[in-house]
């Protein structure tokens, strides 16, 4: 990300080495598998009590609400958080309610979030609906359907 910013001379982005969640915390992030191979983009937050913590490092968790604050307008939230969508969205509910941004989620086929009562009560109830699918990315908006 840093190199991309430098190549494109982008100066209005602040990179933060942290994970997104429902509340500030420090949680294990699994970055290598049991054989020592790097997981790269498949790295994921795991439960503190999981047996997988042997292959994890502790990372700071922040919320979108805390990072954005109330003085900025957000037009898009795009998440690729390997099964941690509910937690990341929960930490953005104030921003989502205030700004009604487009929400783009990479959702794997075994993810039950979209059919959950939580998603219905916290996202769909605000007027969001799916407007587009591209690969495994689902796009949600409050804009009227065309």
């Amino acid at each position: 990300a840093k190199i991309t910013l430098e190549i494109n001379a982008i100066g209005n982005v602040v990179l933060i080495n942290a994970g997104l969640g429902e509340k500030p915390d420090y949680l294990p992030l699994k970055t290598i598998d049991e054989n020592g191979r790097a997981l790269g983009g498949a790295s994921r937050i795991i439960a503190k009590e999981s047996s997988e913590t042997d292959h994890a490092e502790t990372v700071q968790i922040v919320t979108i609400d805390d990072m954005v604050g109330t003085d900025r307008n957000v037009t898009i939230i795009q998440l690729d958080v390997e099964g941690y969508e509910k937690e990341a969205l929960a930490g953005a509910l104030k921003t989502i309610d205030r700004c009604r941004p487009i929400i783009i989620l990479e959702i794997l086929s075994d993810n039950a979030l979209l059919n959950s009562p939580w998603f219905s009560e916290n996202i769909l109830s605000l007027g969001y609906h799916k407007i587009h699918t591209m690969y495994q990315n689902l796009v949600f908006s409050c804009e009227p359907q065309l």
Side-chain angles (χ1 to χ4, degrees):
K2 182 179 180 204
I3 292 169
T4 299
L5 294 175
E6 291 171 357
I7 288 171
N8 293 291
I10 298 172
N12 64 345
V13 174
V14 177
L15 296 178
I16 299 169
N17 189 13
L20 294 174
E22 183 173 4
K23 63 183 190 304
D25 203 347
Y26 288 87
L27 295 173
L29 175 71
K30 184 172 182 176
T31 58
I32 59 171
D33 68 13
E34 292 73 20
N35 298 315
R37 291 185 297 244
L39 293 173
S43 298
R44 65 189 186 285
I45 299 292
I46 55 176
K48 287 181 183 179
E49 57 279 352
S50 170
S51 62
E52 296 181 284
T53 57
D54 293 344
H55 302 283
E57 58 185 84
T58 301
V59 296
Q60 180 183 10
I61 301 297
V62 298
T63 69
I64 290 174
D65 289 338
D66 288 343
M67 292 295 100
V68 170
T70 59
D71 61 331
R72 293 171 55 198
N73 187 40
V74 174
T75 57
I76 297 176
I77 293 176
Q78 180 175 2
L79 298 174
D80 179 356
V81 291
E82 302 305 319
Y84 216 62
E85 293 81 13
K86 177 184 174 188
E87 293 80 1
L89 288 169
L93 288 177
K94 290 177 187 172
T95 302
I96 292 168
D97 187 40
R98 181 175 57 83
C99 302
R100 303 292 163 102
I102 291 170
I103 299 173
I104 304 171
L105 304 174
E106 182 191 60
I107 299 285
L108 302 178
S109 59
D110 62 346
N111 190 316
L113 174 66
L114 302 181
N115 296 318
S116 71
W118 184 92
F119 194 76
S120 179
E121 293 166 12
N122 290 282
I123 304 299
L124 299 180
S125 69
L126 296 174
Y128 278 92
H129 53 272
K130 184 174 73 167
I131 61 168
H132 191 63
T133 301
M134 181 177 290
Y135 304 105
Q136 294 177 330
N137 293 285
L138 305 179
V139 182
F140 294 86
S141 175
C142 288
E143 296 298 317
Q145 292 179 319
L146 300 175

